[in-house]
């Protein structure tokens, strides 16, 4: 009942809108990544920015991005077409609108040999776009957010037979060398690997999990225009890129 009353009282939002997206330079805190493994003596490479001997600074400003978007009401809410994205939306209990879409993909593959070799790989990725804010008297105030995340996990036998090695080779399929380093017997730093005849990991089998996530949030404001759907052919690609 509450949502029905809100819809009845909510201002009309259908039409063509001119949005302004405030853009800020990245701070370095927008993205995170993590590597989890059980390789004995292995470690992640030290990035140049992690060296405490150096302090890096960066300043700058960019003008806002300007773009047109179209909103059409639906039976259970509305849809926002902004750029190449179509975001279904709904009126929230507090009177604001939330438009969003989350795309996701998952998968897995494996390889096993009768002599005991086993390899498994799984992955998952998601991407979310979110526009949220309030409409009032032909204006919009809110935010534009984008979030992405990926996670990949591998497991592999620590040693395997010569018969299995004819297919998987002497260092297997687990991509340890892409993410990990270790000190070799000569004292030099080299890429870590899961080798066929040595026990490289601290438990039965070797494991590696790599995850990464990024989140960006921008202030988004907008004003309603008198453009009609017939004008969309020349309005939809118009605008100003950030910094131009």
């Amino acid at each position: 009942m509450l949502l029905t009353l809100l819809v009845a009282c909510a201002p009309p939002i259908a039409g063509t809108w001119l949005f302004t997206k405030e853009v800020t330079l990245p701070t370095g805190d927008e993205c995170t990544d993590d590597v989890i493994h059980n390789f004995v003596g292995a470690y992640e490479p030290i990035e140049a920015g992690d060296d405490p001997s150096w302090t890096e600074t960066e300043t700058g400003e960019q003008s806002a991005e300007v773009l047109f978007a179209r909103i059409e009401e639906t039976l259970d809410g509305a849809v926002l077409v902004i750029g190449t994205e179509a975001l279904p939306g709904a009126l929230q209990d507090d009177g604001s609108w939330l438009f969003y879409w989350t795309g996701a993909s998952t998968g897995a593959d494996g390889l096993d040999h009768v002599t005991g070799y086993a390899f498994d790989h799984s992955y998952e990725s998601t991407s979310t776009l979110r526009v949220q804010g309030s409409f009032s008297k032909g204006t919009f105030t809110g935010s534009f957010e984008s979030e992405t995340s990926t996670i990949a996990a591998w497991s592999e036998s620590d040693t395997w037979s010569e018969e299995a090695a004819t297919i998987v080779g002497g260092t297997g399929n687990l991509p340890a060398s892409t993410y990990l380093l270790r000190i070799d017997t000569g004292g030099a730093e080299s890429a870590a690997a899961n080798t066929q005849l040595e026990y490289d990991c601290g438990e039965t089998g070797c494991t590696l999990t790599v995850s990464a996530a990024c989140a960006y949030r921008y202030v988004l404001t907008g004003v309603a225009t008198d453009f009609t759907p017939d004008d969309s052919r020349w309005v939809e690609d118009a605008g100003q890129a950030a910094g131009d």
Side-chain angles (χ1 to χ4, degrees), residues 55-135:
T55 300
E56 184 176 354
T57 60
E58 181 180 3
T59 60
E61 295 181 358
Q62 283 187 321
S63 57
E65 179 181 357
V66 179
L67 67 164
F68 285 96
R70 183 77 188 174
I71 299 177
E72 292 290 346
E73 295 180 2
T74 62
L75 291 177
D76 57 355
V79 59
L80 168 66
V81 180
I82 183 168
T84 60
E85 307 294 338
L87 308 178
L91 185 64
Q92 306 299 292
D93 290 345
D94 63 359
S96 67
W97 279 85
L98 172 61
F99 302 88
Y100 80 97
W101 184 259
T102 296
S105 63
T106 61
D109 56 84
L111 183 65
D112 294 271
H113 193 271
V114 294
T115 60
Y117 173 84
F119 170 80
D120 291 289
H121 167 233
S122 64
Y123 62 88
E124 176 181 347
S125 65
T126 62
S127 178
T128 298
L129 285 179
R130 184 184 300 108
V131 172
Q132 185 169 14
S134 299
F135 295 88

Side-chain angles (χ1 to χ4, degrees), residues 8-9 20 27 38 52 60 66 77 96 108 123 129 148 151 181-182 212 229 242 244:
C9 299
T20 300
T27 65
N38 68 345
V66 179
S96 67
Y123 62 88
L129 285 179
T148 59
I151 182 169
L181 298 172
R182 61 160 46 123
D244 289 348

Side-chain angles (χ1 to χ4, degrees), residues 101-240:
W101 184 259
T102 296
S105 63
T106 61
D109 56 84
L111 183 65
D112 294 271
H113 193 271
V114 294
T115 60
Y117 173 84
F119 170 80
D120 291 289
H121 167 233
S122 64
Y123 62 88
E124 176 181 347
S125 65
T126 62
S127 178
T128 298
L129 285 179
R130 184 184 300 108
V131 172
Q132 185 169 14
S134 299
F135 295 88
S136 176
K137 299 179 180 179
T139 63
F140 172 86
T141 303
S143 62
F144 181 99
E145 302 174 28
S146 66
E147 300 172 0
T148 59
S149 67
T150 60
I151 182 169
W154 298 266
S155 65
E156 185 175 45
S157 302
D158 202 345
T159 61
W160 52 91
S161 67
E162 289 295 333
E163 188 176 359
T166 61
I167 299 298
V168 300
T171 55
N173 288 304
L174 193 151
S177 60
T178 302
Y179 302 98
L180 301 173
L181 298 172
R182 61 160 46 123
I183 303 300
D184 62 24
T185 55
E189 190 175 65
S190 61
N194 180 22
T195 53
Q196 175 196 356
L197 300 177
E198 297 181 12
Y199 289 98
D200 299 285
C201 303
E203 302 172 5
T204 302
C206 295
T207 60
L208 175 67
T209 300
V210 178
S211 60
C214 292
Y216 298 90
R217 184 180 188 276
Y218 308 97
V219 174
L220 187 70
T221 57
V223 294
T225 75
D226 292 330
F227 289 117
T228 69
D230 293 336
D231 301 317
S232 63
R233 289 186 178 180
W234 64 271
V235 170
E236 63 186 7
D237 295 326
Q240 298 293 339

